[in-house]
Amino acid sequence: MPKVTISIIKCDVGSLAGHYIVPKPLFNVAEKNLKKAAEKNVINSYYIFNAGDDLELLMVHEKGEQNPEIHKLAWDTFKECASKASQLKLYAAGQDLLKDAFSGNVRGLGPGVAEIEIEERASDPIVVFAADKTSAGSFNYPLFRIFADPMNTAGLVIDPNMICGFKFEVIDTKENKSIILKCPEEMYELLALIGTVGRYIVSRVWRASDNLICAASSVSKLSLIAGKYVGKDDPVMIARAQHGLPAVGEILAPFMHSYFVQGWMRGSHWGPIMPVGLKSSKCTVFDGPPRIVALGFQVANGKISCDDEGNPLIADMFDDPAFALARREAVHNACTLRNMGEFEPARLSAEEMEYTTIKQVLGKLGKRFKPLE
Ligand code: F6R
Ligand code: MG
Ligand code: MG
């Protein structure tokens, strides 16, 4: 049985009514391209959705991670969508396409990507997450809860296949280096790093006993590519579930409550994450609050399991009253933060603001500062 790769590649190609939502004509372009790619067996199956203003291409194939053909398919699709967005004069057409030329891989060019190559188990449940108006470090908290916190994941205590613990790869996005830490033994060191969500980002998780890949998330920081603020790095994440891994319910449990993430208006504020179904995957108030969607599916024979007509079977996991409390908390906390206007901690710290347009505003004041006597 060949190995199967799950790739989720996303891009803000331009959106309707400001940075609100990916409109239908852009979905149509993506659908045309991925359908053709599936007919030519470049990919085995796909599902297209949006996280607010981000177009999300979920693709299942047998070509491995970082495959030039798969990445080119995504890149060409985003380019075509961006040109359609330009024709329609949608907002910020091509926003995340930071480079002109494709060179074999979308990493570093603007789009976000999370990929895992797996040996398909007898039954392989997967959950993919996509968030809008936030950034890559936003998954540090749930990934820690899911794979390291026995108060969240009962399986860490109850399932003998999980007592071995999990290994976390953490990327230092400032210095471009990575480290692997093993939980539970190095839990405190892991927390010491990944609590700094603007810098250290969990990129991969493996089961410690057999190095089974369990999760991957995108780590791109657009401002570090472009040197200035060009939109937040609305992240994506893939998690594998069940049978010796956290159950789907344990993967979703951290989202019973809202928590704070960086992003929201102008990528410059702390905002409460709001778990929503696809129909509410759109940002409104103060360009938010930041939204997250979770889609569950099964990988079967190298594809996403389908119905009898060949349509992928997708579970819209946050479209559920069980997350109503988290949504209420998000609205409540959004109000609390917005009452603070531009005062910290509503606004990000000065260091995090460095890559935004505030630099220009403060730059103008530079010469007017006089040294104190
Ligand atoms: C956040 C985001 C928006 C914009 C804001 C201003 O990721 O994209 O909050 O930063 O709407 O956009 P411009 O400067 O294009 O008017
Ligand atoms: Mg946008
Ligand atoms: Mg976005």
Side-chain angles (χ1 to χ4, degrees), residues 12 53-54 132-133 234:
D12 182 339
D53 62 1
D54 294 287
D132 188 34
K133 304 294 184 279
D234 304 321

Side-chain angles (χ1 to χ4, degrees), residues 19 91 133 229 231-232 264-267 287:
H19 297 281
Y91 197 65
K133 304 294 184 279
Y229 181 71
K232 263 293 173 203
W264 210 357
M265 176 57 74
R266 297 171 193 273
D287 286 356

Side-chain angles (χ1 to χ4, degrees), residues 42-228:
V42 176
I43 53 176
N44 294 350
S45 58
Y46 64 92
Y47 187 71
I48 302 165
F49 63 103
N50 76 298
D53 62 1
D54 294 287
L55 179 63
E56 312 277 343
L57 309 179
L58 170 62
M59 298 174 283
V60 176
H61 56 92
E62 287 163 14
K63 296 192 155 42
E65 294 172 22
Q66 309 219 34
N67 177 271
E69 205 179 351
I70 300 296
H71 281 229
K72 187 163 191 319
L73 170 63
W75 178 259
D76 290 345
T77 300
F78 294 143
K79 278 275 191 199
E80 201 178 326
C81 289
S83 98
K84 181 78 184 176
S86 292
Q87 276 167 35
L88 299 175
K89 290 193 76 170
L90 295 177
Y91 197 65
Q95 176 187 282
D96 290 353
L97 299 168
L98 302 183
K99 304 272 158 89
D100 291 330
F102 178 76
S103 53
N105 194 310
V106 295
R107 273 180 217 271
L109 305 185
V113 49
E115 296 182 291
I116 55 172
E117 186 179 44
I118 61 172
E119 269 171 58
E120 204 177 297
R121 298 176 294 164
S123 178
D124 225 311
I126 309 274
V127 185
V128 299
F129 293 88
D132 188 34
K133 304 294 184 279
T134 181
S135 52
S138 302
F139 290 134
N140 285 3
Y141 169 75
L143 281 169
F144 175 80
R145 298 288 314 266
I146 296 164
F147 291 102
D149 183 358
M151 302 295 271
N152 179 87
T153 298
L156 292 168
V157 180
I158 291 173
D159 184 341
N161 292 313
M162 287 169 66
I163 283 173
C164 57
F166 290 84
K167 295 196 286 194
F168 290 72
E169 180 186 55
V170 179
I171 307 279
D172 176 349
T173 54
K174 272 229 168 106
E175 298 205 348
N176 264 323
K177 51 191 188 188
S178 71
I179 183 169
I180 294 176
L181 294 167
K182 156 95 172 51
C183 283
E185 295 87 333
E186 297 179 299
M187 179 189 284
Y188 297 161
E189 290 88 342
L190 177 69
L191 283 171
L193 292 181
I194 67 172
T196 306
V197 294
R199 174 165 179 176
Y200 298 101
I201 298 172
V202 177
S203 55
R204 294 175 96 73
V205 181
W206 301 268
R207 184 164 61 189
S209 60
D210 56 0
N211 287 327
L212 186 88
I213 181 75
C214 303
S217 73
S218 57
V219 292
S220 54
K221 292 206 39 118
L222 298 183
S223 57
L224 298 183
I225 303 170
K228 60 174 198 268

